[in-house]
Amino acid sequence: MAYRRSRCLVILPTFNERANLAPVVAGVRAAGHDVLVVDDGSPDGTGEVADHLARSDPGVHVIHRPGKLGLGSACVAGFRFGLGRGYDFLVEMDADGSHGVAHLDAVIEASAASGGLSIGSRYVAGGSTEGWSPARRLLSRTANAYCRSLLRIDVRDFTSGYRCIPRALLERLAVTDMLSDGYAFMIEMVHRCHQLGSPVVEVPIRFQDRYAGKSKVSRSEITKALALVPRLRWLSPSPAPPEDGLAAVGQDARPSPD
Ligand SMILES: Nc1nc2c(ncn2[C@@H]2O[C@H](COP(=O)(O)OP(=O)(O)OP(=O)(O)O)[C@@H](O)[C@H]2O)c(=O)[nH]1
Ligand SMILES: [Mg+2]
């Protein structure tokens, strides 16, 4: 893996992931990457678990924020930390066990090879979701079709929170000016990268339902994401011509049958 000599920071945003955090951190550390937990004052004590892990491992870092400030803003906090500490690749993963560490290499390598944003995608050939109800699958598929048709970007999984961005692209992205601070941030990031003419590549992942605990996706987060997409489409300038176009790395970009 060409990126192996680079420094990668894996950002784990957490809100009430006490039962999930330790195994996820252990997996990422075993893969050889540093970890940053961005915890929003989780009432279940996730922040204390993160502190405990950080005390015994200098490769684990923690940011504590005073309350639930949103998934997107947690990513921005993590990106700023990573840029400040000189990391070459910034990875974002859910802290609930849904995003397998086994895919980390492929996700980072795709970003390194393309110089663009790479997305661990459930909806390209080879990707899958496991443990979701049909209603949850339909919601996710419909949201992605909506983003694709309005934004006119040929990406299958806009909403996946498993992704990697190289430092150079992140510096151009001006993430502090993003419109969204919640889940919609994932969609906006894809749009911004596309606007900059950067490649957006998808690599297949096997997405598993969370190990434990509850989803934090609320009705209000879904509504905000739905409202954001037309704003991005009609209120943002035309995209720069793509550097390498959109591409899927290491596999066939056709939609998966899942
Ligand atoms: N710091 C921070 N983390 C958050 C916030 N909201 C969600 N998260 C974390 O972001 C990640 C994704 O949230 P989830 O609730 O798992 O969302 P999801 O994966 O779409 O939903 P499920 O599949 O049902 O788990 C998890 O690690 C959450 O703990 C927030 O406001 N602040
Ligand atoms: Mg999750």
Side-chain angles (χ1 to χ4, degrees), residues 94 96 98 210:
D94 286 4
D96 58 7
S98 289
R210 52 173 43 256

Side-chain angles (χ1 to χ4, degrees), residues 61-241:
H61 308 276
V62 189
I63 293 177
H64 294 279
R65 306 197 305 170
K68 194 170 186 314
L69 300 175
L71 173 58
S73 78
C75 292
V76 171
F79 290 154
R80 294 178 72 153
F81 177 97
L83 289 177
R85 302 277 179 115
Y87 287 94
D88 304 303
F89 292 95
L90 293 301
V91 179
E92 200 259 316
M93 267 174 87
D94 286 4
D96 58 7
S98 289
H99 295 153
V101 169
H103 301 297
L104 256 178
D105 258 349
V107 171
I108 301 170
E109 186 64 26
S111 181
S114 65
L117 174 71
S118 73
I119 301 174
S121 175
R122 297 160 287 188
Y123 304 130
V124 290
S128 61
T129 51
E130 285 167 22
W132 270 12
S133 66
R136 185 84 204 257
R137 277 170 201 247
L138 182 66
L139 176 67
S140 174
R141 284 286 203 176
T142 308
N144 276 293
Y146 173 76
C147 293
R148 199 159 45 249
S149 68
L150 256 76
L151 298 177
R152 296 190 283 197
I153 304 173
D154 189 18
V155 159
R156 299 281 129 190
D157 202 347
F158 286 83
T159 53
S160 169
Y162 197 175
R163 40 185 71 199
C164 176
I165 186 163
R167 173 185 192 87
L169 176 57
L170 186 59
E171 282 169 344
R172 291 172 62 210
L173 210 59
V175 278
T176 44
D177 294 341
M178 302 281 268
L179 299 172
S180 27
D181 53 16
Y183 283 74
F185 179 88
M186 298 300 159
I187 301 167
E188 188 173 0
M189 209 174 150
V190 174
H191 175 76
R192 288 278 194 119
C193 289
H194 184 249
Q195 293 287 103
L196 288 172
S198 157
V200 178
V201 297
E202 291 183 89
V203 296
I205 60 162
R206 193 173 130 249
F207 177 98
Q208 293 167 281
D209 201 7
R210 52 173 43 256
Y211 293 153
K214 281 198 226 140
S215 174
K216 282 94 208 172
V217 186
S218 60
R219 242 167 238 242
S220 115
E221 289 287 352
I222 295 169
T223 310
K224 279 191 210 162
L226 290 175
L228 172 80
V229 177
R231 283 177 76 193
L232 294 176
R233 161 79 186 270
W234 284 291
L235 297 180
S236 44
S238 314

